[in-house]
Amino acid sequence: MMIMNKNSTFVAVYGATGHTGRFVIGELLRRGLPVLAVGRDISSVPAGVIARIASIDDAAALDRAFADCAVIINCAGPFLDTASPIVEAALRVGSAYLDVTAEQASALSIFERYDERARAAGVAVIPAAGFYGGLADLLASALIGQYAVDNMTIAIALDHWWPTKGTRKTGERNRVPRVVLENGRLVPMTIPAARTQWTFGAPHGLQEMEEMPFSEIITISRHPQVRNLRAYLNVASLRDVRDDATPPPVAIDTLGRSAQNFVIEVVAHDGAGSRRALARGQDIYAVTAPLVVEAATRMLQPSFVQSGTLSLAQAFDAENFLRSFKPEQLIFELNAA
């Protein structure tokens, strides 16, 4: 059995020069962790960061790049194309793996294909550890703990969605039909997508919503406590991302964040009524960085001994994880009114 070497030198970021990758590099540097940038183009890697070239279709180059890495963070979408080659490399060299996919098919494939091999290698593989997938998974687990609920709803509102080049590319690539959780099973989402209304707190208020499940359906489905799960996104943000004329995000602060504000609410419904958890903050791409880097930091600790394919909330105590963030990074409320 190969055991993950936590004495390895680096946390590697694949896709380090992409929009999300740059946020992740910055967060690793702020935490004082040794960073290695890996990708097919390393020309714009920040000064002082060690960089190695490796394309996704060159297994030998990937192995050389990751050979002395304890954790690999994959920020390069579309993850339907990049996740499996990098997981394969991680298993060969004994590195833990994280990615930030919103793609349901990619997350599901990693969970289903790699659990046994990751356990044999003694490493943890955690897909969908970003805003989509990971954050709702943490909120859901913090909300219900080990208690079972029949129905859960996720509602997300963005005041704008300025899509990155990577988001555009992923949307073109990912044509796999979306799924929802129904009676404990993943089933195709009904087309046309359902519409509803949702009242958020300020500044979002009353929003028209459209059913739009991302990788959170896959991560939460890994827990047997939820029987039926639906996810909605506000229509205004969908208009933005569906409009080819919508520009990419523009930085407005020293951290590189855009002016976008988000809120994500998770509501559990049972015979006793409804319970709610929420998170809100600035810039869905930027907030992915503290989420995935917090996971990497915890995976480096000697106390972390889990292996196999896991969601964030399976790997870590969800409420403790969420309460680790500063308010300027993420505001978390449990059983919010």
Side-chain angles (χ1 to χ4, degrees), residues 199-267:
T199 302
F200 298 91
H204 298 92
L206 179 66
Q207 293 282 330
E208 294 292 327
M209 308 292 288
E210 180 176 315
E211 188 165 20
M212 184 57 58
F214 291 95
S215 52
E216 71 283 335
I217 300 293
I218 308 303
T219 55
I220 296 173
S221 75
R222 308 298 294 178
H223 309 268
Q225 296 93 334
V226 180
R227 186 167 178 81
N228 299 292
L229 177 62
R230 291 290 190 276
Y232 296 84
L233 183 62
N234 64 319
V235 171
S237 67
L238 284 169
R239 290 195 191 103
D240 285 343
V241 80
R242 289 167 175 168
D243 184 350
D244 292 340
T246 303
V250 175
I252 63 160
D253 62 21
T254 57
L255 297 177
R257 297 180 299 182
S258 73
Q260 179 198 66
N261 288 295
F262 69 80
V263 62
I264 174 170
E265 297 190 3
V266 177
V267 180

Side-chain angles (χ1 to χ4, degrees), residues 106-123:
S106 173
L108 183 60
S109 175
I110 297 304
F111 280 124
E112 292 184 338
R113 292 177 57 193
Y114 290 108
D115 185 61
E116 184 175 344
R117 289 176 58 192
R119 290 179 187 277
V123 300

